[in-house]
Every structure is written in structure tokens, then in C-alpha cells.
Amino acid sequence: MQHLCKIGAIIAKDLAAELRTREMLGAMFVFALLVIFIFNFAFELRAENQRALAPGVLWVAITFSGMLGLSRSFIREKDRGSLEGLLLAPVDRGVIFLGKMLGNALFIVIIDCIILPVFVVLFDIPAAALPQLAMIAILGTLGLSGVGTLFSAMAVHTRAREVLLPVLLFPLIVPVILSAVKLSAAVLDRLPFAEVQSWFSLLVVFDIVFGALSFLFFDYVIEE
Amino acid sequence: MQNPAYLMTGLLIVTGLLMVAALVLALGVAPDPVNLATPTERFAQRIFYFHVPNWWVGFLAYLVAAVAGALYLVSRQERWDAVGVSSIEIGLTFNTIGLISGSLWAKPTWNTWWTWEPRLTTAAIGWLMYVGYLMLRSAIENPQRRARFAAVFSILAFLDVPVIFLAVRWWRTIHPVVIGAEGGQGIGGFALGPTIQLVFFVCLGAFTLLYVTLLWMRLRTEFLSHRVERMRQRLLFR
């Protein structure tokens, strides 16, 4: 219970900082929209191939804009010198990880919630698919932000900083992207859940296992 | 290690001889597999004696690096970090060779240089991951921090490889599986006769020894560069 309060405090701090500066969410949203538009031009999306490409477009938009948010997450702390303050706070390092991770996930989920209706309108997808798509988006976002938060904390201590994060993160989250795309495609094609259940399990297992591993390794990453 | 120079020379000679023997066996002694139709396919099949041991070394190198990473995090001894980076450099080299030799084999057999098949896709993603590892290392100056981050990354990356493989495997596979119960399946697959098996295991042994030799030499240069670094520090801050 005590830990939950501390995690909540870190999330609230990130949210408050975001609400006052508004430097991330706006950029993430516009970037996600841009990705969808650019795919439209690049693939010349027409009615017949739109459905086939839609899940891929959605997930490229989510992962790319998520990457923006993740890379800012620790750079912001470091540039303002608040990272030291956070580390000096009398809380467990695991609590810091969970707070940062859930905060990152929250930002990306907010973007998901704005981008999904736009996506549904632009790609002419029945609105009934929205709740299922949202659930897949949340699961995918959790997978993204688990390893993403760990790597973001790593990247901020390197010379290359935000450039390094996508290079390190994208290969590792291939299973997340694959299963999220497959699940979204199944929702759009109205396949029965049993057919894609293994993808669902893979996504959940990845979220749990790699979330836990990142939690364990976080200690080693922000040691000093 | 009182007489490492003798030992190393010995190891070098044995490895060299074994590699030559493997080459002669694979090109001269091993029979053509019976079920492959065209001469080109039969000729291309001989890559098997190098391609598979090559991947075995790549896998072994990444495994060694992950174990060394774990040992570093527990013990904080510099030498485990040296083992990790040396092993990954070797693994990445063999990974690259494996991708190229696989392409050379795929062209005559599958009639394409590349296909998004699970093993190929996993190999390519693994290659990208470990290139990322080297980039991560080169972007950090503080040696302790570099060692810690590298250890964490090498463990995570190694654990991720089977998950990626599983995910990509749920697409259709055409890569032949020649070892185990499913022997000879897939396009370009073949069954293993006794002579082929013998030659294959000689090649496997030769490549494993090659890995050990390379790791040893690479480790030695790593330790020497550490020593040079320490001497430079001593001179600078005297």
C-alpha cells in the first residue's frame, strides 16, 4: 500500500510536469497522425488494400510516437537535474522504475486513446472494434514501456542519448509488434478469438516476463 | 597462465590443422546426398558443413556473453566484461558470415537470396540487436557503467532471441530441419547418412575450437588494452 502511494506520487509528478510544460503529449499526438498520413502517401492506400495494411500502420504510429515519449522520459529528468533528486528520495529503486514505467505507459495510452478514433475514421473501420483494439493497444503499450523505460534510463547516460534508444529497443520488442499487429488484424477481420489466442498469450507473457526482467535490472542501470 | 605463449601456439596449430581437415572432408570425402535432384543443389548442399557449425558458434558466443554478463553483475570483475565484449564481437562476425553463407545457399536452392522465414528473420534481428550492443558500448565512457549496461543488454537480448524466434515461427517455415526426428523436411532438406554425420561433427568440433582460439586471442588483446590504459593513467596522474 505504501509502495502504491509512492508509485502514484511519481506518476502524478510526471503528469503535473507534462500538464505545465505540454512538451510531450502534443508532439507525440501530431507525430502519430503524421505517421498515418505518410503511410497514406507512401502506400497510396486505396479501398481494396486499406484493410490489409491498417494494423501495420496503426502499430508503426503507436511504436514511433511511443518512442518519442520514452526517450524524453529520462532526458527531461537529467536535464533539469531532477534525476538525482529522484534517486535521493527515500524510496526503493523498484518503486522508481514502476512509477516511471507506468507514467510512460500512461502517456502512450493517452496517445492511443486519441489516435484510435482517428484511425477508425480514416480507415473506415466499424466503431464496434474500438474496445478490442483499445485493449490490444494497452497490452502492447505495456510491453513497449517495460523494456522501454529500462533502455531509456540507459540511453540517457550515453553520449548518443535519444538516438540510441530506438536502435536498442526496436529489435527487442519485435514480438510485441508482431503479436499486436496480428491481434489487431484478427479484430478487423472478425476472426474468432481462439484462432489468435496464442498471439494473445505471447503478448501477455512478453509483458510480464520482460517487465519483470526490466524491473530487476533497473537497479544496475541507475546505480550511481 | 605461466606459459600462455606455448599453449596459444599449440592451440593455434591444432585449430588450423582441424579446420583444414574439415575443409578436405567436407569438399572431398563427404558423399552427395541422395535425394537432391540438380548438381547445383548438391554442390550448394556442401555449405551445410560450414553453415551449421558457423551458426552453432554464433549461438555459443551469445550464450557465453550472456553468462559472462550475469557473472559480471554478480562479481563486478572487469574480466567478465572483457569476456562478454570479446564473445559478442566473435558472435557478430559469425552471425554476419552465417547470413551471407545462408544467402549463397538459398539462391540455388530456394531461388531467392532472402525470405522472411523464422530462422532468417530471427538471425537478422539478432544481428541488429548485437550491433546495437556495440553501439551502446561505444557511446559510454565510464568503464564500470559501460560494463554494467552491456551486461544487462546482453542478458536481455539473449533471452529475447527464443521469443522472437517463436513469434516469427508462427508464420510458415521453409528452412530445412536436418537434425532430429523431422530430418529431411523443408525445401532443400536431406537425410543424414553415417559419413555425412561424421564429417559434420568434425566440422562442428573444428568450429568450436576456432571459437575458443578466437576468444582467447581477443581476450588477450582486451586485457593488454586494459593494461595500456592503466599505464597511461598512471603516467598522466603521476
Side-chain angles (χ1 to χ4, degrees):
Chain A
M1 201 54 221
Q2 211 184 0
H3 285 315
L4 279 182
C5 288
K6 290 171 184 165
I7 293 172
I10 293 176
I11 300 175
K13 166 195 82 73
D14 276 354
L15 256 183
E18 175 57 32
L19 288 178
R20 280 175 204 157
T21 57
R22 295 207 181 82
E23 59 181 16
M24 243 159 60
L25 281 175
M28 283 166 77
F29 169 64
V30 174
F31 185 70
L33 265 188
L34 273 173
V35 169
I36 292 184
F37 287 172
I38 286 171
F39 266 100
N40 256 298
F41 305 140
F43 286 149
E44 289 195 57
L45 293 181
R46 283 177 298 266
E48 64 268 29
N49 64 5
Q50 226 179 34
R51 275 290 172 81
L53 293 173
V57 174
L58 175 69
W59 278 94
V60 170
I62 291 179
T63 43
F64 277 34
S65 62
M67 204 65 73
L68 275 189
L70 284 171
S71 69
R72 287 303 297 170
S73 166
F74 277 93
I75 286 178
R76 219 153 56 153
E77 304 269 12
K78 178 123 180 161
D79 286 354
R80 292 183 191 146
S82 56
L83 188 58
E84 282 79 9
L86 198 60
L87 295 181
L88 283 173
V91 293
D92 199 60
R93 293 284 157 90
V95 168
I96 298 179
F97 174 78
L98 286 176
K100 289 304 280 184
M101 181 204 144
L102 291 176
N104 287 333
L106 181 67
F107 284 137
I108 306 177
V109 166
I110 292 174
I111 295 301
D112 292 348
C113 291
I114 311 173
I115 207 76
L116 268 175
V118 179
F119 172 76
V120 162
V121 169
L122 285 180
F123 283 82
D124 189 24
I125 287 157
L130 258 181
Q132 283 162 302
L133 283 179
M135 200 187 72
I136 300 166
I138 290 174
L139 282 177
T141 300
L142 280 176
L144 204 70
S145 43
V147 191
T149 303
L150 178 76
F151 283 7
S152 170
M154 262 184 357
V156 77
H157 288 297
T158 65
R159 241 181 298 127
R161 304 237 283 185
E162 63 266 48
V163 182
L164 208 52
L165 180 66
V167 176
L168 296 181
L169 188 54
F170 271 126
L172 261 105
I173 55 161
V174 162
V176 174
I177 301 176
L178 253 176
S179 44
V181 167
K182 285 279 170 188
L183 286 169
S184 313
V187 169
L188 297 190
D189 294 340
R190 297 213 187 84
L191 291 180
F193 178 68
E195 253 178 65
V196 287
Q197 200 181 2
S198 47
W199 289 110
F200 182 78
S201 324
L202 178 75
L203 186 54
V204 173
V205 168
F206 186 97
D207 284 5
I208 295 172
V209 171
F210 280 82
L213 283 172
S214 307
F215 176 81
L216 287 176
F217 284 139
F218 190 67
D219 252 1
Y220 295 112
V221 168
I222 50 159
E223 215 162 56
E224 63 258 19
Chain B
M1 286 212 285
Q2 264 315 306
N3 275 324
Y6 292 117
L7 220 68
M8 181 162 231
T9 319
L11 188 65
L12 259 178
I13 293 171
V14 173
T15 310
L17 286 178
L18 204 58
M19 286 302 287
V20 173
L23 194 67
V24 171
L25 282 174
L27 294 181
V29 176
D32 278 333
V34 282
N35 63 334
L36 294 181
T38 65
T40 334
E41 263 186 293
R42 282 198 289 274
F43 184 63
Q45 180 271 336
R46 287 184 189 273
I47 214 165
F48 160 76
Y49 299 107
F50 290 118
H51 182 69
V52 182
N54 182 66
W55 277 114
W56 152 248
V57 170
F59 175 80
L60 181 68
Y62 292 150
L63 171 68
V64 168
V67 173
L71 286 172
Y72 176 80
L73 289 181
V74 174
S75 72
R76 299 303 164 103
Q77 285 168 343
E78 209 178 45
R79 59 175 170 203
W80 292 121
D81 180 52
V83 172
V85 64
S86 309
S87 199
I88 280 182
E89 277 180 14
I90 298 170
L92 197 58
T93 312
F94 277 82
N95 195 334
T96 313
I97 298 171
L99 286 173
I100 296 171
S101 70
S103 275
L104 291 177
W105 174 83
K107 186 62 185 170
T109 313
W110 294 340
N111 201 23
T112 170
W113 296 110
W114 185 263
T115 153
W116 292 105
E117 185 271 343
R119 253 160 273 214
L120 274 67
T121 313
T122 311
I125 297 171
W127 189 85
L128 285 170
M129 276 198 301
Y130 287 104
V131 169
Y133 171 92
L134 292 184
M135 290 171 77
L136 174 69
R137 285 190 76 96
S138 68
I140 308 171
E141 258 132 53
N142 178 334
Q144 278 88 35
R145 179 182 287 162
R146 181 170 60 217
R148 262 187 297 123
F149 287 13
V152 167
F153 187 81
S154 64
I155 299 171
L156 273 181
F158 186 76
L159 291 178
D160 204 24
V161 169
V163 186
I164 294 175
F165 181 70
L166 183 76
V168 193
R169 185 168 205 163
W170 288 337
W171 297 352
R172 196 169 61 91
T173 175
I174 61 167
H175 194 289
V177 178
V178 287
I179 296 161
E182 296 170 81
Q185 310 222 323
I187 301 171
F190 50 90
L192 293 178
T195 322
I196 292 188
Q197 272 185 17
L198 179 73
V199 173
F200 173 70
F201 282 114
V202 171
C203 291
L204 199 64
F207 267 77
T208 311
L209 208 59
L210 178 65
Y211 166 70
V212 175
T213 313
L214 287 175
L215 184 64
W216 190 352
M217 295 178 86
R218 179 67 186 78
L219 263 177
R220 221 178 59 137
T221 46
E222 186 73 17
F223 289 143
L224 285 176
S225 77
H226 285 177
R227 232 174 86 191
V228 170
E229 186 55 34
R230 271 196 296 272
M231 283 160 104
R232 184 186 293 150
Q233 299 282 336
R234 256 208 309 277
L235 281 174
L236 280 175
F237 298 107
R238 197 158 52 172

